Amino acid sequence: MNEIKLFCPATIANVSCGFDVLGLCLESTGDQMLIRKVSTPGVRITKIEGQQLPLEAEKNVAGVAALALLKDLDLDFGFEIEIIKIIKPGSGIGSSAASAAGAVFGINKLLGMPFNPTQLVGFAIQGEALASGTAHADNVAPALLGGFTLVKGYTPLEVIKLNTPKQLFATVIHPQIEVKTADARSVLKQSIPLKKAIVQWGNLAGLVSALYTEDYELLSRCLHDEIIEPMRSPLIPGFHKVKEAVNKAGALGSGISGSGPSIFALSKGKAMAEKVAVAMGDVYKDFGVDYDLHISGINTEGVKVLS
Ligand code: HSE
């Protein structure tokens, strides 16, 4: 195999109560990537469609992730990467992660799979570090492993794939404003009250339990963010109105997708996810803010080989 074409999925990081550790993978939206083995060593990004992003490998998240993977391999050949960007940078649904995950997944395949998924996450977070200044793994892990993932620890890196309840659907609204992850991280206080931490880790543990028991009511009670959401929600116009509308429509819960400005909701069943999408859209119509909407099942596979 000398060439591979991939679907590189969008992801929702944090999922309310799991800042920097929890994430899930979406089915309905993502980028495409073509990776070709070539005789010249190194990594070259030869084409990017859909967005203005740097072609220099060292300045591109896919390039940096690929270079991290190749660093200790002494290869006498290299790789060319073409990217069709569908996920807008700064949208909050893992645009940089899709590129980083796709690059390491595809090159690993073309090399005969020398690396395991956790090692791939370790390479891909180098791309995240370039994009946001922090090597957070909560988007690249679900993009690579699929489903819900938990970053159990960063040093050493330990990633666990969790169960995905079968009837779970996500709705994501992306108001057309850009919030850079680095900016959304700069508003975060570095210490938190113990009382809030107790609520947060209770919810995170409860949510993990709910994923395995497929207890949608427990899942709903755990979809709260005591810590990050109050600090970031002022960056997102209409955030509280959207949450209110989503709850009224019957979603299990909602929150900021990654670092925003997208807002996600989880629902039991596709019909409810569609109803939630209408409720979300109505809020932004009132605000006069343009938006994209995604209704998606949970992608339990992660990056997919298209050909
Ligand atoms: N955990 C990261 C953050 C995700 O919230 O900053 C960014 O998509």
Side-chain angles (χ1 to χ4, degrees), residues 142-258:
L144 283 162
L145 280 73
F148 279 80
T149 56
L150 177 74
V151 183
K152 189 260 154 212
Y154 276 88
T155 39
L157 185 63
E158 192 176 343
V159 181
I160 302 167
K161 182 170 179 174
L162 307 170
N163 185 58
T164 297
K166 282 163 218 54
Q167 297 181 65
L168 209 57
F169 276 80
T171 313
V172 180
I173 190 157
H174 173 207
Q176 301 294 289
I177 52 168
E178 188 181 349
V179 174
K180 290 204 168 76
T181 297
D183 296 338
R185 293 184 82 91
S186 72
V187 303
L188 302 179
K189 291 188 195 105
Q190 291 305 306
S191 22
I192 53 167
L194 182 60
K195 256 190 173 168
K196 285 185 184 288
I198 293 167
V199 176
Q200 195 89 342
W201 61 54
N203 281 333
L204 179 57
L207 190 134
V208 171
S209 169
L211 292 178
Y212 281 94
T213 53
E214 308 209 5
D215 180 340
Y216 294 88
E217 282 168 23
L218 174 61
L219 197 142
S220 174
R221 292 198 299 281
C222 296
L223 280 174
H224 291 288
D225 182 353
E226 275 291 300
I227 295 167
I228 307 298
E229 190 174 292
M231 294 189 250
R232 281 181 170 171
S233 55
L235 303 174
I236 307 172
F239 177 76
H240 296 288
K241 287 235 153 38
V242 171
K243 277 201 83 147
E244 216 175 281
V246 158
N247 284 345
K248 219 162 132 196
L252 298 168
S254 60
I256 301 172
S257 178

Side-chain angles (χ1 to χ4, degrees), residues 13-14 18-22 92-94 128 132 136 138-139 154 181 184-185 188 228 232 257-260:
N14 302 335
F19 178 70
D20 274 2
V21 297
L22 195 63
I93 50 171
E128 291 290 58
S132 71
H136 64 90
D138 50 342
N139 289 106
Y154 276 88
T181 297
R185 293 184 82 91
L188 302 179
I228 307 298
R232 281 181 170 171
S257 178
S259 53

Side-chain angles (χ1 to χ4, degrees), residues 60 114 120 130-131 140 149 222-223 249 253 304:
N60 179 291
L120 295 184
L130 174 78
V140 290
T149 56
C222 296
L223 280 174
K304 288 182 199 184

Side-chain angles (χ1 to χ4, degrees), residues 32-170:
Q32 285 189 21
M33 186 176 279
L34 188 85
I35 307 180
R36 204 175 294 120
K37 209 159 129 183
V38 291
S39 54
T40 318
V43 175
R44 270 164 309 282
I45 317 279
T46 50
K47 193 159 128 192
I48 301 175
E49 272 177 37
Q51 292 293 330
Q52 295 279 340
L53 293 165
L55 284 169
E56 299 98 301
E58 295 77 10
K59 293 185 183 161
N60 179 291
V61 293
V64 166
L67 289 168
L69 182 152
L70 296 173
K71 191 169 158 268
D72 295 325
L73 304 177
D74 193 19
L75 302 179
D76 60 358
F77 55 88
F79 297 91
E80 285 180 359
I81 302 177
E82 293 179 15
I83 308 169
I84 302 177
K85 278 309 282 177
I86 306 289
I87 315 169
K88 292 180 185 140
S91 58
I93 50 171
S95 178
S96 52
S99 295
V104 298
F105 178 94
I107 291 176
N108 192 46
K109 276 258 184 210
L110 293 175
L111 289 175
M113 313 253 281
F115 298 109
N116 67 38
T118 301
Q119 288 174 305
L120 295 184
V121 171
F123 301 131
I125 58 176
Q126 302 309 318
E128 291 290 58
L130 174 78
S132 71
T134 311
H136 64 90
D138 50 342
N139 289 106
V140 290
L144 283 162
L145 280 73
F148 279 80
T149 56
L150 177 74
V151 183
K152 189 260 154 212
Y154 276 88
T155 39
L157 185 63
E158 192 176 343
V159 181
I160 302 167
K161 182 170 179 174
L162 307 170
N163 185 58
T164 297
K166 282 163 218 54
Q167 297 181 65
L168 209 57
F169 276 80

Side-chain angles (χ1 to χ4, degrees), residues 170-174 241-243 245-246 249 251 253-255 262-266 273-286 291-294:
T171 313
V172 180
I173 190 157
H174 173 207
K241 287 235 153 38
V242 171
K243 277 201 83 147
V246 158
S254 60
S262 287
I263 304 169
F264 80 95
L266 293 180
E274 285 167 349
K275 193 175 162 198
V276 165
V278 173
M280 285 174 155
D282 285 347
V283 174
Y284 278 118
K285 269 183 207 142
D286 284 351
Y291 57 85
D292 285 341
L293 264 172
H294 307 284

